[in-house]
Amino acid sequence: VGNPAAFRRTLEGLGAAVADFRTFPDHHAYTREDVDDLARWAGSLPADVLIATTQKDWVKLRIGSLAGRPLRAVRI
């Protein structure tokens, strides 16, 4: 996402209480290490937390879940 703060505001505007927030550079090419790190991070969050990303990054990540939890995509 070119503007992570704007994405966070979008989430909050949809009613989300953002518990934690990770960012990567715009046009980031996700590696296996990135996905493994995100899975560890997701596993450290409370069980009732919804994990979301942009639709653009969801497609690039090529996964449907992190730490056994669904990864949701938000269309911007």
Side-chain angles (χ1 to χ4, degrees), residues 8-75:
R8 184 179 185 131
R9 286 191 302 275
T10 296
L11 294 172
E12 292 169 341
L14 292 169
V18 178
D20 202 354
F21 196 78
R22 297 280 306 264
T23 62
F24 288 86
D26 198 19
H27 305 289
H28 184 70
Y30 292 95
T31 65
R32 170 56 40 198
E33 291 78 23
D34 292 332
V35 173
D36 291 344
D37 182 52
L38 286 168
R40 281 189 294 277
W41 167 76
S44 73
L45 299 172
D48 62 342
V49 168
L50 179 76
I51 302 168
T53 187
T54 64
Q55 186 176 32
K56 180 179 110 177
D57 285 323
W58 184 80
V59 169
K60 288 169 50 178
L61 283 163
R62 299 180 308 271
I63 57 173
S65 65
L66 284 170
R69 300 181 199 177
L71 177 60
R72 306 296 185 188
V74 177
R75 184 180 301 182

